[in-house]
Amino acid sequence: MNVTAIIPARYASTRFPGKPLVDILGKPMIQRVYERVRQAQGIDRVLVATDDPRIHDAVRAFGGEVAMTRADHPTGTDRLAEVAALLDTDLVVNVQGDEPLIDPRMIEEALAPMRTDASIPMGTLKTPIATVEEFLNPNVVKVVTDREGYALYFSRAPIPHPRDLAADLPQAMAQNAPFKHVGLYVYRRDFLLRYPHLPVTPLEDLEKLEQLRALEHGFRIRVVATELNSLGVDTPEDLERVRHALARS
């Protein structure tokens, strides 16, 4: 089974312009992500998908593979699908370009069920939420799954809501740990090419969570539990935390 990892990368960002090219201990962030993805077992090809020539040139400079895309894509998945349409591959892994500390084993974990069950169109990861602050933070996306590990819902709200222990969230979390969603996806290529043509759905538009489109259209998403974690870069403060983490290691 052929597996391709694609890293979408945009230069424009309302919160952090130029983020993929910020320096992290002598390397641009996009290179840090690329090198981590290359370490994952079972990945046959890694490439960056971008609409910006500065990112294109930076990837070429460190010897990476890069594909230029249209600039008018509404989502990263649309950009992913444009590149996947030109590839001969079975599975496509979507790794965000702002995850310079992504553990390669997380990619392997997300891939595992997709390799053995051809009925799964799409997969992702979840990891336990460690603090009440994370549980209540709307920027931390929560996920609940069924007994077979398929997503029931993703939300920015704190789910599941502990009705009887709402006043004592630490105790509630100790009894039934909630999970946050890790934004790493695996798609079957045929499903990925179909995905951008699915109409935007009400819950997706309300929560601003693109994965809800798949659920609302009746597609199942396999969610693998992992004990591993990563540290994404959404703000300059996140960038400093990543720099310190790499310096310590």
Side-chain angles (χ1 to χ4, degrees):
M1 184 172 288
N2 191 274
V3 181
T4 302
I6 304 177
I7 308 167
R10 295 173 58 250
Y11 191 90
S13 171
T14 54
R15 288 188 294 179
F16 200 159
K19 183 168 61 172
L21 299 184
V22 295
D23 179 81
I24 301 179
L25 303 187
K27 295 180 180 181
M29 179 160 64
I30 192 64
Q31 182 176 355
R32 293 281 180 186
V33 179
Y34 192 97
E35 291 173 348
R36 292 268 181 159
V37 176
R38 285 289 300 270
Q39 295 173 28
Q41 297 295 314
I43 298 292
D44 299 290
R45 186 179 182 184
V46 181
L47 57 92
V48 174
T50 187
D51 61 357
D52 192 280
R54 289 164 290 191
I55 296 175
H56 173 276
D57 293 347
V59 175
R60 293 290 298 271
F62 68 73
E65 184 177 0
V66 59
M68 289 294 291
T69 68
R70 302 199 324 262
D72 60 348
H73 287 306
T75 70
T77 308
D78 293 272
R79 192 179 312 282
L80 205 72
E82 180 188 347
V83 176
L86 305 176
L87 302 177
D88 181 16
T89 191
D90 299 298
L91 298 176
V92 176
V93 181
N94 179 6
V95 180
Q96 301 304 313
D98 57 6
E99 291 281 349
L101 297 183
I102 186 76
D103 192 313
R105 293 173 295 174
M106 298 171 76
I107 299 172
E108 297 163 15
E109 289 174 335
L111 274 169
M114 303 286 288
R115 292 183 182 278
T116 58
D117 187 346
S119 71
I120 304 173
M122 177 178 175
T124 190
L125 295 173
K126 67 177 182 179
T127 193
I129 292 177
T131 66
V132 170
E133 289 72 24
E134 268 194 316
F135 189 48
L136 298 177
N137 186 346
N139 293 317
V140 176
V141 177
K142 275 68 68 173
V143 59
V144 290
T145 59
D146 66 16
R147 291 180 178 272
E148 296 181 352
Y150 288 92
L152 292 172
Y153 194 61
F154 297 86
S155 182
R156 298 183 182 279
I159 58 172
H161 177 73
R163 189 196 68 172
D164 295 333
L165 289 171
D168 191 351
L169 284 179
Q171 182 183 349
M173 293 172 64
Q175 290 184 3
N176 189 3
F179 286 87
K180 66 179 175 181
H181 175 227
V182 178
L184 183 156
Y185 296 97
V186 184
Y187 302 92
R188 296 207 182 278
R189 178 180 175 274
D190 57 350
F191 176 70
L192 175 59
L193 298 186
R194 180 181 178 184
Y195 195 88
H197 302 289
L198 297 174
V200 174
T201 53
L203 292 176
E204 173 194 3
D205 187 54
L206 183 67
E207 294 252 22
K208 298 298 183 284
L209 295 176
E210 190 182 350
Q211 62 270 37
L212 291 175
R213 187 188 314 179
L215 295 184
E216 287 190 83
H217 282 286
F219 296 99
R220 298 208 297 172
I221 303 175
R222 181 70 166 85
V223 185
V224 177
T226 179
E227 295 298 322
L228 302 171
N229 214 330
S230 183
L231 180 58
V233 177
D234 291 321
T235 66
E237 293 75 23
D238 293 335
L239 176 62
E240 289 308 311
R241 283 193 284 270
V242 166
R243 284 172 172 159
H244 287 309
L246 278 174
R248 288 196 304 268
S249 65

